[in-house]
Amino acid sequence: MHDIRMVRDAAESLRAGMRRRGKADTLGPLVERAIALESERRSAIQATEEKKAARNAASQEVAKRKKAGQAADDLLASARALGDEITALEQRQHAAQSELDEILIGLPNIPLDDVPDGDESANVVLRTWGTPRAAESVTPHWDVGERLNLFDLARAAKISGSGFIVYRGAGARLQRALISFMLDLHTQQHGYEEAWVPLFVNRESMLATGQLPKFEEDMYALRDDPLFAIPTAEVPITNLLRDELLDNARLPLAMTAHSACFRREAGAAGKDTRGLLRVHQFDKVELVRWVAPEESAAQHELLTGHAETVLQQLDLPYRVVLLAAGDTGFASAKTYDLEVFAPGVGKWLEVSSCSNFTDFQARRANIRFRAAAGEKPRFVHTINGSGLALPRVVAAILEHHQRPDGTIAVPTALQPYFGAASIG
RNA sequence: GGACAGGUGGCUGAGUGGUUGAAGGCACCGGUCUCGAAAACCGGCGUACCCGUAAGGGUAUCGUGAGUUCGAAUCUCACCCUGUCCGCCA
């Protein structure tokens, strides 16, 4: 959500932001409408408050007269008339306000200056770590999984439907090992506090982090309760501090959580859906930081580094992609995708999306801080990223660490958690 | 799910329908005192919005939303949340 003052005083940068996302056609008119509504809202407020001030003065005078034992019938009549005018003006104000709110809650964040313009084709590969393995002689993970009995997608489809996973045996253990490894890394080396959070959250939480109102069809909703299954632990973690004023808080605050994530993937049918690549339920370790505005760019780099460390310790080649404005998520001002190379699939797989949301989520969620006593509260900046999403990491391990004899080498850092050096 | 009790500022805790933005306490900030600190004492101290270059003025805000009233933290209704007890389940 944008500062209402932006609509008034910096409308051009708002227009430019929508343009850079390639949404000038659809969102441009909304911006113009918002500007008109804001001026309407303000004139209504002015008129309303003037009348209210008059009514308050009259009321005080009534009190005074009653105390003195005098009659106040004339005042009562005029105050009653004022009340009617106020009601009408308030209706005008509320109408403008609610239409304005609806527009503002639906406008995406403004990309930072160093984000390239354009759509997905303008994404920039910033760096690559490790050496992608040649695709020949590497079996895709779905074949490996079947041969080594690591997961059972057919039975998962039977009990739930396509797009669900059943891990078993070493496959189940591998995922559990990865979760423990990642959580330990982030809590012990990177300074995150571990959390365990609800998998179902209310509408307010989804609005605060930006999943709603635009992406309702992407989420699972419960039938009998007004709750949504979380698409990422970002939602419950960020909302931990919703409507809070962090007084004397020493920022940054950093939290990590492992959770299941649920995505309907509506409209994604048929696209990279084989094996573990795109599923309705998956596990993920999430990283969230609440930071001071002036630090958010540096903190974004820091968090991205924390996610990269996971891939480095798992000895998996990856690249860091800076997303172009048109490919950057609704709430994000700048996003780095981490893509691991899976030689069996022959593709770079997104395993983490590290975003700087600036004050966009904080304003929606009303998360403020006071840097020092006596200072005005300000909105924090929020930053988050996966560290990492599990199924694609599993896929990459099964492919990149595949030996000629068909067994899988378990990365050294993972061996204490997995309990063996090899699968198969 | 049922019955009670309760939701007031960063925290705690008073509050009779009429200078209550809201006593007191804690925390915090400034000052006096001190070599320095602590203690004590004095003063200050919510948030958001509107008008204004500013000084300043105004409006709203006591869980949320409606209502009664000239006027609501205070009265009415609905909803949400918390606590306790009962029931149910693990």
Side-chain angles (χ1 to χ4, degrees):
Chain A
M1 177 122 84
H2 301 288
D3 191 343
I4 191 98
R5 272 170 296 220
M6 183 161 229
V7 172
R8 193 156 74 226
D9 304 330
E12 189 41 44
S13 74
L14 200 55
R15 288 191 192 99
M18 302 306 113
R19 210 180 302 130
R20 293 182 59 205
R21 281 177 173 270
K23 298 281 181 59
D25 289 356
T26 51
L27 301 184
L30 290 180
V31 172
E32 302 315 314
R33 177 69 182 146
I35 292 166
L37 284 166
E38 161 59 8
S39 124
E40 158 71 7
R41 183 188 74 102
R42 250 189 318 159
S43 77
I45 285 178
Q46 271 177 53
T48 309
E49 292 191 345
E50 225 168 85
K51 300 287 183 194
K52 281 185 176 174
R55 186 185 60 184
N56 286 350
S59 289
Q60 301 236 352
E61 185 59 28
V62 170
K64 222 177 267 174
R65 285 208 206 165
K66 292 216 163 168
K67 209 172 245 172
Q70 302 169 335
D73 294 351
D74 54 328
L75 280 174
L76 293 184
S78 67
R80 206 171 292 129
L82 276 172
D84 292 341
E85 292 182 66
I86 289 167
T87 305
L89 284 167
E90 275 180 337
Q91 264 165 19
R92 232 180 86 195
Q93 182 189 332
H94 288 148
Q97 181 79 60
S98 64
E99 191 186 343
L100 182 57
D101 285 346
E102 202 174 310
I103 290 175
L104 288 182
I105 203 82
L107 291 180
N109 202 352
I110 294 171
L112 292 177
D113 289 340
D114 55 348
V115 171
D117 289 357
D119 62 13
E120 157 176 29
S121 63
N123 290 352
V124 180
V125 176
L126 293 181
R127 55 183 176 273
T128 301
W129 184 92
T131 309
R133 205 175 145 179
E136 308 93 67
S137 79
V138 176
T139 311
H141 65 275
W142 46 82
D143 290 337
V144 177
E146 192 175 325
R147 183 165 48 76
L148 298 178
N149 194 31
L150 303 179
F151 45 84
D152 188 338
L153 301 183
R155 289 199 175 91
K158 175 175 69 180
I159 60 178
S160 296
S162 78
F164 287 90
I165 304 173
V166 168
Y167 284 115
R168 39 201 309 184
R173 186 180 180 90
L174 176 63
Q175 162 149 293
R176 181 157 55 89
L178 281 165
I179 292 163
S180 293
F181 159 69
M182 290 179 195
L183 285 174
D184 281 355
L185 175 68
H186 296 313
T187 55
Q188 292 166 17
Q189 308 293 317
H190 298 153
Y192 289 77
E193 181 188 348
E194 183 172 344
W196 185 90
V197 294
L199 300 181
F200 302 109
V201 301
N202 56 32
R203 184 168 285 273
E204 289 71 35
S205 296
M206 287 295 195
L207 273 168
T209 37
Q211 280 72 27
L212 289 179
K214 302 208 74 174
F215 307 106
E216 186 149 1
E217 70 281 2
D218 292 334
M219 291 181 297
Y220 289 101
L222 297 194
R223 191 194 60 194
D224 293 331
D225 292 293
L227 295 172
F228 297 90
I230 60 170
T232 162
E234 160 194 351
V235 179
I237 301 175
T238 306
N239 275 282
L240 278 173
L241 298 182
R242 172 150 56 86
D243 290 323
E244 294 195 28
L245 171 57
L246 310 174
D247 216 3
N248 303 314
R250 61 282 164 248
L251 298 176
L253 300 173
M255 272 206 172
T256 183
H258 155 247
S259 84
C261 302
F262 304 90
R263 301 185 180 181
R264 293 187 61 225
E265 298 293 353
K271 225 165 65 178
D272 289 335
T273 51
R274 264 203 95 178
L276 306 179
L277 295 185
R278 184 179 294 279
V279 290
H280 291 308
Q281 177 190 331
F282 63 95
D283 279 32
K284 183 158 67 65
V285 169
E286 183 73 4
L287 304 172
V288 176
R289 301 179 76 80
W290 296 263
V291 310
E294 48 278 357
E295 290 174 355
S296 73
Q299 290 283 319
H300 184 207
E301 302 299 324
L302 185 68
L303 176 139
T304 304
H306 294 155
E308 286 182 64
T309 302
V310 177
L311 288 164
Q312 291 171 9
Q313 296 210 3
L314 294 175
D315 198 22
L316 294 171
Y318 68 91
R319 62 184 190 184
V320 180
V321 180
L322 170 60
L323 299 189
D327 201 23
T328 299
F330 175 78
S332 175
K334 181 179 178 183
T335 298
Y336 296 125
D337 273 4
L338 304 189
E339 300 180 339
V340 69
F341 190 72
V345 179
K347 280 183 177 154
W348 295 92
L349 307 178
E350 179 192 330
V351 289
S352 179
S353 209
C354 300
S355 297
N356 182 355
F357 299 94
T358 59
D359 62 0
F360 188 84
Q361 290 182 329
R363 182 169 280 113
R364 288 169 164 248
N366 188 29
I367 304 172
R368 296 170 302 161
F369 77 108
R370 204 195 303 271
E375 272 190 28
K376 280 258 165 200
R378 289 187 291 156
F379 289 110
V380 300
H381 281 197
T382 54
I383 292 166
N384 71 49
S386 321
L388 306 164
L390 271 296
R392 292 175 186 170
V393 170
V394 169
I397 288 174
L398 297 183
E399 297 183 3
H400 183 78
H401 290 310
Q402 200 176 111
R403 298 194 186 98
D405 65 358
T407 62
I408 309 297
V410 175
T412 312
L414 199 58
Q415 289 174 12
Y417 295 92
F418 183 71
S422 178
I423 303 173

